[in-house]
Amino acid sequence: MSPLATTPTDPGVLRQAFGCFPSGVTALCALDSGTPVGMVASTFTPVSLRPPLVSVCIQDTSSTWPKLRRHNRLGLSVLAEGQDLVCRSLAGKDRDRFTGVDWEASEEGSVHVHGAGLWLDCSVHAELPGGDHTIVLLEIHALRAEPDREPLVFHGSRFRRLAV
């Protein structure tokens, strides 16, 4: 292993370092005037059982988060293995992110991606500053889990599969 880098503020060094930690990939979505709006967040963490809370971290430069945060309910879908094209579509910038993405909306307006391993119906519980990101705590109101569905894993800037 190489010695510790002395420039931990270099974004390229940090991005490579953070890429050493595998993460799941989530889609955070809602209906906005009848049209689905969504984004991808790979910084998802379970936080609390009482109250039921999870967190996502959103870049402060996001143009999608201001649209999502004003909704009473948000859908969080933990994407499953094989949904890498869905992830790329929802992460796209200059096109309809939902082209080719199968989804459904709840009566409350949360949007969930078909085929995901977990659906959470959430509301914003709190937002906290976190450097160049906002840490968003989401309170869970309802869920649907498919624990046997393999997750979509992101590691080292690419999608991976879990080995058995």
Side-chain angles (χ1 to χ4, degrees):
M1 183 173 272
S2 62
L4 292 176
T6 58
T7 57
T9 57
D10 178 318
V13 170
L14 281 170
R15 190 170 285 112
Q16 184 181 29
F18 293 164
C20 291
F21 182 74
S23 65
V25 182
T26 65
L28 192 59
C29 310
L31 279 183
D32 188 39
S33 300
T35 302
V37 174
M39 62 188 298
V40 170
S42 61
T43 50
F44 164 79
T45 305
V47 174
S48 170
L49 296 176
R50 292 192 180 115
L53 300 174
V54 296
S55 70
V56 292
C57 295
I58 309 292
Q59 284 183 342
D60 290 339
T61 58
S62 171
S63 59
T64 306
W65 177 242
K67 296 173 188 173
L68 288 171
R69 71 189 295 229
R70 67 178 184 235
H71 293 281
N72 292 332
R73 291 295 175 92
L74 301 171
L76 189 138
S77 302
V78 176
L79 299 182
E81 185 177 277
Q83 289 190 304
D84 46 314
L85 294 177
V86 169
C87 177
R88 291 188 194 287
S89 183
L90 291 171
K93 295 287 184 210
D94 299 319
R95 58 188 161 82
D96 177 2
R97 292 180 178 184
F98 285 84
T99 298
V101 176
D102 292 330
W103 58 274
E104 69 182 72
S106 72
E107 289 182 18
E108 293 80 17
S110 60
V111 171
H112 297 98
V113 177
H114 286 188
L118 175 64
W119 287 2
L120 300 176
D121 182 69
C122 306
S123 62
V124 176
H125 180 78
E127 293 183 59
L128 309 162
D132 59 0
H133 281 65
T134 298
I135 303 162
V136 181
L137 293 175
L138 299 168
E139 184 169 354
I140 302 166
H141 301 285
L143 63 84
R144 186 178 97 192
E146 305 270 344
D148 292 332
R149 195 163 288 188
E150 297 296 327
L152 182 63
V153 178
F154 195 70
H155 176 260
S157 298
R158 63 184 192 195
F159 297 110
R160 310 271 185 147
R161 290 180 175 218
L162 295 179
V164 180

